[in-house]
């Protein structure tokens, strides 16, 4: 019996289940996990990529040991929270768009009136944008897509302005495929946060991952 218990404990300590929002999963998590793997090559890492609302649900249901989310919800119920990074959303358009050539920043009223390419409900990126435009009549969209990659492709095709993380648009801005549009009077800054169940301690691998993220 003791040997069986020790085997189960050893197996649990070598597994880490992570749920992450798309922005974190695509642009930050691979580097963090690479460091963790170098330190603990025996670790078995399982990653689930979904939107922020689903990450919170997975962690609450004990289907993930730790999660990474975006958005404004400061203290989600039943979870402990740690801010790991500040992120900024940027309005981007293709170079032929009229906003790419303007000198004045885009105001909240203009952004609210525009037909935007946006993420699906439940996305942390969308939550920030909805909050920012709430005082200007709310968000309008003509295209809702479930991934950052799809939104970037649509923006490059000229299907409209998009609002995405600075992490996601950096390569397209450097290559000139998209142009950043300054804004005025709206807040598009957000926190990227780690979350884990409040009712039990973090597993050792999860604690090490948070140390890597915070370093």
């Amino acid at each position: 019996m003791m040997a069986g218990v020790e085997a189960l404990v050893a197996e649990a300590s070598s597994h880490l289940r992570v749920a992450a929002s798309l922005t974190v999963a695509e642009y930050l998590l691979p580097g963090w996990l690479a460091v963790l793997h170098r330190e603990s090559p025996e670790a078995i890492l399982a990653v689930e990529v979904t939107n922020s609302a689903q990450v919170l649900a997975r962690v609450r249901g004990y289907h993930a040991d730790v999660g990474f989310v975006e958005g404004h919800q400061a203290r989600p119920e039943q979870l402990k929270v740690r801010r790991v990074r500040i992120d900024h959303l940027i309005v981007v358009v293709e170079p032929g768009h009229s906003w790419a050539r303007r000198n004045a920043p885009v105001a909240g009223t203009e952004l609210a009136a525009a037909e935007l390419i946006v993420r699906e409900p439940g996305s942390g990126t969308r939550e920030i944008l909805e909050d920012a435009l709430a005082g200007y009549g709310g968000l309008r969209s003509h295209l809702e897509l479930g991934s950052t990659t799809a939104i970037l492709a649509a923006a490059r095709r000229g299907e409209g302005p998009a609002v995405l993380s600075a992490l996601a648009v950096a390569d397209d801005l450097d290559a000139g495929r998209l142009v950043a549009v300054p804004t005025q009077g709206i807040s598009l800054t957000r926190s990227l946060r780690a979350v884990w169940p409040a009712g039990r301690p973090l597993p050792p691998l999860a604690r090490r991952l948070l140390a890597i993220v915070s370093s």
Side-chain angles (χ1 to χ4, degrees):
M1 183 182 71
M2 292 305 298
V5 170
E6 290 175 359
L8 288 173
V9 170
E11 181 180 4
S13 65
S14 67
H15 285 69
L16 178 63
R17 300 169 302 164
V18 180
S21 66
L22 271 71
T23 299
V24 176
E26 291 181 5
Y27 301 101
L28 295 172
L29 189 60
W32 298 338
L33 293 182
V35 175
L36 181 63
H37 184 68
R38 285 197 297 270
E39 294 183 358
S40 304
E42 78 288 350
I44 300 172
L45 309 174
V47 178
E48 182 177 358
V49 181
T50 184
N51 64 39
S52 291
Q54 288 301 311
V55 170
L56 294 175
R58 297 297 289 172
V59 176
R60 281 196 189 99
Y62 300 103
H63 301 295
D65 301 306
V66 63
F68 295 94
V69 296
E70 313 149 23
H72 273 153
Q73 191 176 356
R75 193 169 296 280
E77 294 181 1
Q78 304 168 23
L79 301 177
K80 291 187 176 181
V81 181
R82 180 185 298 176
R83 187 174 72 180
V84 298
R85 185 168 179 149
I86 296 296
D87 187 31
H88 301 280
L89 301 184
I90 297 178
V91 180
V92 293
V93 295
E94 54 89 20
H97 193 279
S98 60
W99 284 3
R101 299 182 296 276
R102 62 181 288 161
N103 295 321
V106 170
T109 50
E110 294 177 277
L111 194 61
E115 299 261 337
L116 301 176
I117 309 167
V118 298
R119 286 281 307 280
E120 78 288 355
S123 158
T125 300
R126 179 171 178 145
E127 179 189 333
I128 297 296
L129 184 57
E130 287 177 336
D131 288 351
L133 297 180
Y136 300 99
L139 171 68
R140 294 180 61 191
S141 66
H142 75 99
L143 186 59
E144 296 184 1
L145 298 170
S147 78
T148 301
T149 302
I151 292 178
L152 286 170
R156 291 188 210 108
R157 293 194 300 268
E159 297 189 30
V163 184
L164 291 168
S165 166
L167 297 167
V169 301
D171 288 345
D172 282 282
L173 294 180
D174 289 343
R177 294 185 293 264
L178 293 173
V179 176
V181 180
T183 59
Q184 178 178 302
I186 56 175
S187 175
L188 295 175
T189 299
R190 63 181 179 177
S191 296
L192 305 181
R193 294 161 297 152
V195 296
W196 63 93
R200 65 181 184 185
L202 270 170
L205 279 175
R207 289 200 303 271
R208 184 58 201 140
L209 176 61
L210 286 187
I212 292 168
V213 169
S214 302
S215 64

